């Protein structure tokens, strides 16, 4: 699924020293692995709170194949300013992914969210400034838009976060802008929409819908749709997000906020059909699986869709992986079995 030639074209002969925070997480591990495969030097930083040793092992395997001596990892916490300072030494570009990454968890534990997602972010910014880092690209979120009705979401719309998580991401963007204006640190905020792909954690009640549904199918259970299935999301493959980050790290005039999504809306009913089709291509018996419906959950946003014009025009970002293609690759990798009993 990786498109090394596309990323290689973006990079050309450039060699940077990248810090990837959250490198043991879903998106961070893909970023670190892709950069190593492209001949870059990468440092990972993660406290392994939601990230896994298995993800880190995947990065280390990549380093052993393509990047001997070009990868080091710091197990540490971004809430500690000293850890952030140590991690910045010699770094030219930061791709900041580390965060408590969940809206529902932030509603249960707002102070924990603030500590990791606001204070931790400020620690990273300040350490980057002191170390003379050239650019920091950070993972923001479509959660900053809240539940305003107008679609698609454009960067110029007012933000209206409805959770500590969304508020933290919005505050991050403001701090990033302030550090650009006050200190000349180049900062880019990428508002990710619904990112999916291999290694996304299916565990827990609040896992993202695609890994959750595949995990249910692997267990022989029917996936759950909360609500009537008419809610829609913008699903973007993690390989496209890797490309967006590399572009944002290197594009000469990249600055400010960019939506990163596919630019296409998919309802949950349509997603279910697509996931089932992908699963059935590996395991034909799954063709007849039906979803279970449960009441919608508090705080769920009805519709979400990115306008990616700005990212296309200023970064050259073009999503290349169609949803069905990405889902097929996931089903293949999971090797969904057809001999499991159905719940
Ligand atoms: N996955 C999505 O659909 C999505 C959408 C919008 C925004 N984002 C953002 O993208 C980033 C990456 O998300 P992900 O889906 O890969 O989640 P993830 O949980 O897989 O990755 C987050 C990583 O950050 C690490 N981390 C958390 N707190 C830390 C701390 N205090 N110190 C050091 N490391 C810490 C975790 O251990 C984990 O490895 C997050 O900032 C998230 O908010 C993700």
């Amino acid at each position: 699924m990786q498109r090394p030639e596309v990323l290689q074209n973006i990079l050309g002969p450039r060699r940077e020293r990248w810090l990837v925070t959250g490198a043991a997480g879903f998106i961070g591990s893909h970023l670190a692995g892709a950069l190593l495969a492209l001949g870059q030097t990468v440092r990972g930083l993660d406290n392994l709170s939601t990230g896994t040793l298995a993800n880190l092992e995947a990065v280390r395997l990549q380093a052993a194949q393509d990047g001997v001596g070009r990868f080091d990892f710091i197990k540490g916490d971004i809430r500690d300013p000293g850890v952030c300072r140590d991690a910045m030494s010699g770094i030219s570009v930061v791709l900041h992914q580390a965060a408590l990454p969940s809206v529902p968890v932030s509603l249960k534990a707002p102070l924990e969210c603030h500590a990791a997602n606001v204070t931790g972010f400020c620690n990273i910014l300040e350490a980057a400034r002191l170390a003379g880092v050239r650019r920091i690209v950070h993972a923001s979120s479509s959660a900053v838009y809240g539940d305003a009705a107008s679609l698609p979401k454009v960067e110029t719309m007012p933000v209206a976060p409805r959770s500590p998580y969304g508020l933290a991401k919005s505050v991050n963007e403001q701090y990033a802008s302030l550090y650009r204006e006050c200190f000349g640190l180049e900062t880019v905020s990428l508002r990710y929409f619904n990112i999916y792909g291999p290694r996304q954690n299916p565990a827990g009640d609040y896992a993202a819908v695609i890994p959750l549904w595949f995990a249910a199918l692997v267990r022989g259970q029917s996936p759950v749709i909360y609500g009537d299935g008419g809610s829609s999301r913008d699903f973007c493959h993690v390989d496209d997000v890797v490309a967006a980050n590399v572009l944002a790290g290197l594009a000469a005039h990249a600055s400010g906020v960019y939506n990163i999504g596919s630019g296409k809306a998919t309802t949950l009913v349509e997603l279910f059909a697509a996931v089932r089709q992908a699963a059935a291509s590996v395991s034909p018996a799954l063709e007849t699986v039906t979803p279970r419906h449960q009441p919608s959950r508090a705080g769920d946003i009805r519709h979400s869709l990115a306008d990616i014009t700005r990212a296309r025009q200023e970064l050259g970002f073009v999503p290349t992986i169609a949803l069905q293609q990405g889902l097929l690759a996931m089903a293949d990798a999971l090797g969904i079995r057809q001999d499991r009993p159905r719940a």
Side-chain angles (χ1 to χ4, degrees):
M1 291 292 295
Q2 290 287 355
R3 299 146 307 147
E5 67 291 346
V6 177
L7 295 176
Q8 199 66 71
N9 285 344
I10 299 168
L11 269 159
R14 286 173 72 160
R15 294 288 173 271
E16 303 275 0
R17 294 178 62 85
W18 306 72
L19 172 66
V20 179
T21 73
F26 160 50
I27 297 172
S29 64
H30 281 277
L31 286 170
L35 288 167
L36 286 165
L38 289 162
Q40 305 295 298
T41 300
V42 180
R43 175 173 299 144
L45 169 64
D46 204 300
N47 69 352
L48 298 176
S49 53
T50 57
T52 65
L53 288 172
N55 288 348
L56 200 55
E57 200 43 46
V59 178
R60 287 199 163 119
L61 266 174
Q62 189 81 56
Q65 274 172 29
D66 308 299
V68 177
R70 285 189 279 107
F71 178 65
D72 69 304
F73 176 73
I74 298 173
K75 181 169 185 261
D77 198 306
I78 58 167
R79 290 172 295 184
D80 180 341
V83 165
C84 297
R85 278 198 299 275
D86 290 348
M88 274 320 148
S89 142
I91 295 297
S92 51
V93 185
V94 177
L95 302 180
H96 177 59
Q97 313 300 307
L100 191 157
S102 158
V103 167
V105 173
S106 80
L107 286 162
K108 281 187 182 163
L111 294 182
E112 278 177 40
C113 173
H114 187 90
N117 294 14
V118 179
T119 307
F121 181 74
C122 290
N123 289 339
I124 287 288
L125 267 184
E126 181 60 2
R129 175 179 84 88
L130 293 173
V133 163
R134 178 175 61 77
R135 182 172 294 180
I136 170 161
V137 178
H138 75 98
S140 184
S141 165
S142 58
V144 302
Y145 291 113
D147 206 6
S150 44
L151 289 174
K153 303 299 183 197
V154 184
E155 293 87 342
T156 48
M157 285 175 174
V159 296
R162 285 162 49 93
S163 64
Y165 173 82
L167 179 62
K169 293 294 187 185
S170 179
V171 170
N172 291 174
E173 293 179 358
Q174 292 180 55
Y175 264 114
S177 161
L178 191 93
Y179 265 65
R180 186 167 62 245
E181 276 156 34
C182 294
F183 305 120
L185 176 65
E186 296 179 13
T187 57
V188 183
S189 308
L190 300 182
R191 284 182 185 165
Y192 299 164
F193 279 64
N194 285 71
I195 314 307
Y196 74 98
R199 295 188 212 142
Q200 193 166 20
N201 192 348
D205 288 346
Y206 296 111
V209 60
I210 290 176
L212 205 57
W213 285 359
F214 273 123
L217 292 173
V218 166
R219 287 195 305 270
Q221 295 171 344
S222 292
V224 175
I225 294 181
Y226 292 99
D228 62 3
S231 299
S232 64
R233 296 287 181 270
D234 181 325
F235 294 100
C236 182
H237 194 272
V238 68
D239 284 0
D240 286 325
V241 175
V242 168
N245 274 273
V246 175
L247 286 163
L250 300 179
H253 302 296
S255 186
V257 176
Y258 299 91
N259 288 338
I260 299 299
S262 67
K264 295 190 173 68
T266 304
T267 66
L268 291 184
V269 165
E270 290 166 343
L271 180 69
F272 180 80
V275 166
R276 180 174 56 190
Q277 190 186 335
S281 75
V282 180
S283 185
L286 292 172
E287 218 164 334
T288 54
V289 173
T290 52
R292 283 181 293 145
H293 281 270
Q294 288 188 8
S296 50
R297 297 183 297 186
D300 275 353
I301 287 168
R302 182 72 177 156
H303 297 294
S304 177
L305 173 64
D307 180 324
I308 53 171
T309 309
R310 182 161 196 245
R312 195 176 57 238
Q313 288 177 345
E314 294 186 20
L315 304 180
F317 170 66
V318 182
T320 57
I321 297 168
L323 182 60
Q324 197 60 43
Q325 185 192 354
L327 293 176
L328 272 172
M330 286 179 79
D332 261 346
L334 286 168
I336 288 168
R337 304 252 314 272
Q338 52 187 332
D339 53 352
R340 307 273 175 106
R342 204 86 47 73

